[in-house]
Each structure stands twice: as C-alpha cells, then as structure tokens.
Amino acid sequence: MLATGTHQMLDLLQRSCEEVFPMALGHAPIAEGDPVGAMEGDTRAALITLVGEFGRVQLGLATSERGSREIAGHLLGMEADDPELVPDNIEDAIGELMNILAGHVKQLDASLLQAAELGLPLVVEGHIKPTPHQELLAQPARIDNTDLHLVVLVEKRPA
Amino acid sequence: MKILIVDDSKAMRMIVKRTLRQAGFGDASVSEAADGKQGLEAIRANQPDLVLCDWNMPEMSGMELLQALRAEGNAVHFGFVTSEGTAEMRSLASQASAAFLIAKPFTPETFAEALSGVVG
C-alpha cells in the first residue's frame, strides 16, 4: 500500500525534516501548531514532485524571502547577510535542500522507494494554492528563528 | 591530492568542499565542474586523484561521465554523491566501477569513511 495520502505524505516530510535538518542545517525543526489546509500570503517555496503510478505528489518548503536567506545560510555555513548569498545561490541552496528532503522521504518509505520517481526541485515565489484536482496540507514550523511551512500537494483520487 | 567535484548545484559543491575540509581533506586541491561534460574535460586536462560526482545532471549524467571515462581507459577513483541511494543505484554504481556512493544528507564521518578506503 503506497503511503500517498495527504496526511501520510506530510508525516513523511516532517520525519525527513527531523532527520535531515540537524545534519544539514545544524538545527532541528519545531512544529508550531496543527497542520493547515491553506497557505496565506506570498512565500518563497522550493517544490519537488514525486511521480509514479499512484499519481503526483508535490513536497515543499515555504518561507519568506528573509527565511530562505537564513535557511540557505545554515545549509552553506554562512551568515544570512553574507554577500556571497546572492539570489541565485539562495535559490540553488533551498532547491538542493528540498531535493535532499525528498530523497530522504523515499528512504523512509519502502513503497515509495520502489514506486516513486523524483523530479527536479523548483523554486517559486507567490501564493501557493492547490489546483481543483489537488489537496494541500501544510505544517507550520520553525527552525532556529526562521518560520516556515512544510507543504504537501496531493492529487485527489476519483471518488 | 587533487579532487574534482562535479555537480550542477553550486550550493552542493560548496557543501561538499566544506565537508571535505571537515573530514580531514583540507590539504587537498579541490576543483569544480558544473556538469558531466565539463567534468570530463576537467578530468582529461587536470588528472585528479578522485572525482566526487552527482548522479543527475544536465548535459551528461554522472553515470554517463563514469562510463565515458572507463571507455577511454581512465581508471580515476570515482565516487557518487547523490540525493538517492537505492540498492539499484548502488548496484549500478558498483557495476560501473564507482568506488562508493554517498547518499545525501551526509556527515564528515561519512566522507572520511568512504574516502579513506579509496585515497586514504
């Protein structure tokens, strides 16, 4: 049975963050409240798609412009205001972090490991909204002083 | 020792360089290439002792790079550093004569262990 339900995927993404963040960023994520079914306002987000016979699932990490700079700084071992953290490097870093998280999601679930292909990470800015054929679930969280959301967008299954 | 990092992500190349230093390879001369094609040219020109290479890249993948090297008789030590480490990928890497496959996320200890068996 593939673990591709919205809550199951969010749980896997949270577990991936809990294991990857301390190693990659030097800080553990802290969940802030309950998952939400919609995102408010604009964000900068790294998204990656898992695709297989089960359909398509998008996993994401959404934060502010400042938050993406802080996360990139943690990943690259730099201060958030380091002049080398130009926009291209920040996008590259949070995209790579999403790639690592999604790869680890596959490692955490044997059925996904076999059935899911990983796409390339994409960094977008704006309001994350599901299409009419998707369901969104997002977990508000914090890492160090940075607020972020762990996001999953799952294709709805026909009734 | 000369080490070439081949990865299309500049961020990941920076992370690998930092991890090499933390793993005790701070004295190594480290150079970079942004895809397999650039990597092949850099290997031919500079003859590194070790290549650390991503799996999925534009232009030429890591596996295509390794196969191209072996086809021209180049036996440089070669290891993959990649976001997925399935049994199938490890088997493919081994069959193609890669010395190791390091799955992300990794630690300096992971690097030290993998590299010590090859260039220690």
Side-chain angles (χ1 to χ4, degrees):
Chain A
M1 181 72 181
L2 287 168
T4 54
T6 313
H7 284 273
Q8 288 168 299
M9 289 307 302
L10 185 61
D11 180 57
L12 284 171
L13 180 57
Q14 276 188 263
R15 286 172 53 202
S16 178
C17 290
E18 285 163 7
E19 295 182 16
V20 169
F21 279 7
M23 206 183 298
L25 306 182
H27 298 276
I30 298 167
E32 303 264 286
D34 295 326
V36 295
M39 295 287 290
E40 291 181 6
D42 288 350
T43 63
R44 175 176 285 178
L47 298 167
I48 197 164
T49 302
L50 285 171
V51 63
E53 287 183 7
F54 55 83
R56 299 166 71 88
V57 176
Q58 282 184 295
L59 306 177
L61 196 63
T63 183
S64 61
E65 189 279 334
R66 177 70 191 177
S68 65
R69 172 174 286 277
E70 290 168 351
I71 291 170
H74 285 309
L75 184 67
L76 300 177
M78 294 176 173
E79 294 296 325
D81 294 317
D82 191 306
E84 203 177 337
L85 271 182
V86 296
D88 279 356
N89 288 352
I90 294 169
E91 286 191 16
D92 186 23
I94 61 172
E96 188 60 42
L97 179 61
M98 197 62 242
N99 193 31
I100 296 170
L101 288 170
H104 201 62
V105 162
K106 286 185 65 178
Q107 296 289 333
L108 290 171
D109 187 285
S111 60
L112 285 176
L113 193 60
Q114 297 302 323
E117 293 282 330
L118 206 55
L120 292 172
L122 182 69
V123 176
V124 297
E125 289 188 48
H127 185 194
I128 300 178
K129 284 194 300 188
T131 69
H133 308 290
Q134 288 179 318
E135 186 177 16
L136 180 150
L137 196 63
Q139 174 64 57
R142 180 167 53 82
I143 174 162
D144 197 21
N145 294 314
T146 305
D147 292 321
L148 56 104
H149 281 78
L150 313 179
V151 183
V152 298
L153 290 152
V154 176
E155 277 185 353
K156 291 177 187 169
R157 293 177 179 165
Chain B
M1 178 169 48
K2 292 190 286 188
I3 299 176
L4 175 69
I5 302 167
V6 187
D7 199 308
D8 57 318
S9 164
K10 184 181 176 188
M12 188 46 62
R13 297 197 302 270
M14 293 167 74
I15 293 166
V16 170
K17 276 172 80 170
R18 186 183 68 199
T19 307
L20 281 169
R21 284 196 301 274
Q22 293 167 336
F25 294 89
D27 292 338
S29 167
V30 179
S31 55
E32 302 176 27
D35 60 46
K37 200 172 168 185
Q38 283 184 23
L40 185 58
E41 289 165 8
I43 293 163
R44 286 171 176 160
N46 303 321
Q47 300 176 359
D49 302 294
L50 173 66
V51 179
L52 297 174
C53 187
D54 190 14
W55 190 281
N56 287 315
M57 292 180 293
E59 293 292 335
M60 178 185 266
S61 72
M63 182 56 74
E64 288 167 342
L65 171 59
L66 176 55
Q67 289 169 340
L69 287 168
R70 298 303 186 243
E72 60 187 48
N74 190 321
V76 63
H77 296 303
F78 194 104
F80 287 103
V81 181
T82 181
S83 56
E84 291 187 70
T86 64
E88 184 184 4
M89 288 170 72
R90 290 180 189 281
S91 172
L92 285 171
S94 177
Q95 285 170 24
S97 80
F100 54 81
L101 184 152
I102 296 173
K104 305 168 195 171
F106 45 72
T107 63
E109 291 74 25
T110 313
F111 263 55
E113 187 179 344
L115 270 64
S116 65
V118 181
V119 292

